[in-house]
Amino acid sequence: GPKVLQIPSHQIIDMGQMVTLNCDPVSNHLYFYWYKQILGQQMEFLVNFYNGKVMEKSKLFKDQFSVERPDGSYFTLKIQPTALEDSAVYFCASSTGPNTEVFFGKGTRLTVV
Amino acid sequence: GEQVEQRPPHLSVREGDSAVIICTYTDPNSYYFFWYKQEPGAGLQLLMKVFSSTEINEGQGFTVLLNKKDKQLSLNLTAAHPGDSAVYFCAVSAGQGGRALIFGTGTTVSVSP
């Protein structure tokens, strides 16, 4: 079936540095999402994105976070600067429409040291 | 905003037994309901998407029930087998214009032979 690809699968970064997580959504999808999952806990919504704009974001989407999808390429989540509590698995997802099936990637495990 | 409680957090069953996971949500406007399966190191696999108009939904090896009066969604694994061992998440969406999925806290299911 359709696949959302996330690159890399694991990233280790020093606290205070910038990190960009990349997501290659399903090709004809228009809605994009990022979720955060701390080890052993639930998946928590961060942000959704459509037509070049953030549509909705949660309290977890701190000022240090930003998303973009320049020229239809990767959908990215940038964290600048990173903090220890940003360590988690970040899942990207995409869908064709607001109420259609959402496809998830396998996640990028971010470790901030 | 929407809150989703999921129980139990852990479930151990023997092969052939049934297992029931229940989610309780708070927003009466919730319209779309989902069950996802997450295997170790993998992304989320959609098991079933349920519309608020359908109360009983049959899948392969499982049944999903929606009780709108009590705002409960349940997943019943019938005749569990070791391949069902995973973390299961329910998710709820109000279904308006790209609204985010709000996930339950997850249930770790272990099926022993």
Side-chain angles (χ1 to χ4, degrees), chain B:
Chain B
E2 175 79 89
Q3 307 266 344
V4 181
E5 286 190 9
Q6 184 172 341
R7 63 178 196 276
H10 301 279
L11 199 50
S12 293
V13 297
R14 301 189 77 92
E15 187 171 6
D17 288 349
S18 63
V20 179
I21 306 169
I22 297 175
C23 283
T24 305
Y25 58 95
T26 57
D27 186 348
N29 295 318
S30 296
Y31 196 78
Y32 294 94
F33 306 87
F34 305 81
W35 280 104
Y36 284 91
K37 178 181 180 182
Q38 184 182 33
E39 293 178 282
L44 294 174
Q45 175 194 348
L46 179 67
L47 287 180
M48 183 167 280
K49 175 182 178 181
V50 175
F51 295 94
S52 71
S53 56
T54 310
E55 294 189 340
I56 301 175
N57 303 266
E58 305 261 353
Q60 194 166 6
F62 60 90
T63 302
V64 171
L65 300 179
L66 176 62
N67 180 337
K68 287 181 287 183
K69 173 176 169 291
D70 295 332
K71 296 199 281 294
Q72 283 192 340
L73 178 74
S74 66
L75 173 68
N76 186 341
L77 300 175
T78 53
H81 56 87
D84 291 331
S85 296
V87 182
Y88 291 81
F89 291 96
C90 63
V92 178
S93 169
Q96 294 175 7
R99 287 290 300 277
L101 291 178
I102 305 300
F103 282 82
T105 45
T107 297
T108 302
V109 174
S110 300
V111 182
S112 55

Side-chain angles (χ1 to χ4, degrees), chain A residues 31 33 35 37 41-43 45 48 55-56 91 98-102 104-106, chain B residues 32 36 38 41-44 46 49 89 95-101 103-105:
Chain A
Y31 288 79
Y33 313 81
Y35 283 81
Q37 185 181 36
Q41 298 185 24
Q42 74 198 94
M43 192 91 68
F45 169 71
N48 57 3
M55 296 186 61
E56 188 180 9
F91 288 92
N99 304 317
T100 57
E101 182 177 348
V102 177
F104 284 81
K106 293 187 177 181
Chain B
Y32 294 94
Y36 284 91
Q38 184 182 33
L44 294 174
L46 179 67
K49 175 182 178 181
F89 291 96
Q96 294 175 7
R99 287 290 300 277
L101 291 178
F103 282 82
T105 45

Side-chain angles (χ1 to χ4, degrees), chain A residues 83-103:
Chain A
L84 293 176
E85 61 264 27
D86 296 330
S87 295
V89 180
Y90 290 83
F91 288 92
C92 173
S94 68
S95 63
T96 54
N99 304 317
T100 57
E101 182 177 348
V102 177
F103 291 84

